Amino acid sequence: QHLTPAQIYHVTVMPCYDKKLEASRPDFFNQEYQTRDVDCVITTGEVLKLLEQEGVSLSDVDPAPLDTISAAEEELTSHSGGGSGGYLEHIYKHAAKELFGIQVDTIQYKPLKNKDFQEVTLEKDGVVLLQFALAYGFRNIQNLVQKLKRGKSPYHYVEVMACPSGCLNGGGQLKLGGESSKEQLQHVERLYESPRSEIPEQNQAVNELYEQWLGGAESEKAAKALHTQYHAVEKASTGFNIKW
C-alpha cells in the first residue's frame, strides 16, 4: 500500500521488559522517516492485565486468521532451536554446510556446569571445526565474559540471553496460578514447539519478500532494512554499575 514507516504504528508483544529498552535505543531510530522501528513494546503479562481490565477472556474470543503479506503464509510455522530465537542452531547448521560442506540435521548439546550453559561441537577426523555455546542467565554470562577477557574462550559463536532458561522464562512473561514456575515453563515450551518448524531459506514467503521487496538477499536494500549495529550506550554514574 506504499505506506512509509512513519505511517505504521508497530506494536510487539514480548516476554521481556528489556525489549522496551532495546526498542528505545538510537540504533533502532529511522533518521530518514523520523520514527522508531518499534513504537510500542508490551509484555505478555501486560497483555493479560489489559484483558482483565476490559473484562475479556481469550477463551471467549472467536479466533481470527493471521494477517499475511504473502499467499504462501497459510500456516503458522516456527523455527528449530528453542524459545530464544534459534540463532545458534540456524547459524551452526548454515556454517557447517557453507564452510565445510557438512549437512547437520540434528544438534547434540553438551551441558557444562548447568543446563543453561551448553556447547555444540562439529568435528571431522578428530579435528574441531566449529564450537558453539549457549549461555543463559547472568551467572553464566559473567563466567563467559571472564573467559573472553583472559583469552580462554574456545567458541566461534555464543548465544547469550540474560534470563535463566532463555526468553520463554522472561521477566515479563505472564504468570499462571496453580502451576509451579518449572511446570509453567515446560508448558510454554511445548506450546512454542507445537507449530511445524521450517528453515527460513526454504520458506516461500521469506523468498518472496527478498525477491519482490528487497531486491535479493545480498542487496544493499536488504542490508539496510534487516541488519543493525549495536553501539555502546554511555554508562550512568550510579552505584549499581557492575564490573565484570
Side-chain angles (χ1 to χ4, degrees), residues 59-70:
S59 59
D60 299 329
V61 177
D62 294 330
L66 295 173
D67 292 333
T68 65
I69 60 173
S70 168

Side-chain angles (χ1 to χ4, degrees), residues 118-214:
Q118 303 187 55
E119 66 178 27
V120 183
T121 303
L122 180 69
E123 294 186 18
K124 184 177 182 180
D125 300 328
V127 178
V128 174
L129 303 178
L130 292 174
Q131 196 162 11
F132 283 26
L134 60 81
Y136 295 168
F138 281 113
R139 179 179 59 176
N140 292 321
I141 296 173
Q142 183 177 14
N143 291 335
L144 173 66
V145 170
Q146 290 173 347
K147 283 186 177 181
L148 287 169
K149 285 184 174 181
R150 295 195 302 266
K152 300 293 185 180
S153 175
Y155 304 118
H156 299 99
Y157 177 91
V158 183
E159 180 179 293
V160 175
M161 298 294 164
C163 294
S165 300
C167 294
L168 295 183
N169 192 40
Q173 187 68 283
L174 56 87
K175 307 300 180 186
L176 302 178
E179 285 186 335
S180 67
S181 57
K182 182 179 179 180
E183 290 173 334
Q184 180 177 327
L185 178 60
Q186 291 173 341
H187 182 61
V188 172
E189 287 175 340
R190 287 194 296 270
L191 291 174
Y192 193 86
E193 294 169 0
S194 58
R196 179 177 62 85
S197 63
E198 189 173 28
I199 300 173
E201 295 94 325
Q202 297 178 358
N203 182 285
Q204 184 179 342
V206 170
N207 290 325
E208 288 180 6
L209 177 66
Y210 274 118
E211 295 304 322
Q212 298 177 15
W213 290 40
L214 299 173

Side-chain angles (χ1 to χ4, degrees), residues 12-22 41-46 162-163 166-174:
T12 63
V13 179
M14 296 288 174
C16 177
Y17 285 110
D18 281 347
K19 285 294 182 181
K20 298 174 184 286
L21 296 174
E22 185 176 351
V41 178
I42 55 177
T43 67
T44 53
E46 289 171 332
C163 294
C167 294
L168 295 183
N169 192 40
Q173 187 68 283
L174 56 87

Side-chain angles (χ1 to χ4, degrees), residues 19-68:
K19 285 294 182 181
K20 298 174 184 286
L21 296 174
E22 185 176 351
S24 68
R25 292 176 66 103
D27 306 272
F28 299 106
F29 184 80
N30 189 314
Q31 293 290 346
E32 180 180 355
Y33 293 99
Q34 290 296 296
T35 187
R36 296 196 176 278
D37 293 349
V38 177
D39 297 290
C40 178
V41 178
I42 55 177
T43 67
T44 53
E46 289 171 332
V47 171
L48 180 60
K49 288 182 179 179
L50 289 171
L51 292 172
E52 290 174 344
Q53 289 173 4
E54 296 297 324
V56 176
S57 172
L58 285 180
S59 59
D60 299 329
V61 177
D62 294 330
L66 295 173
D67 292 333
T68 65

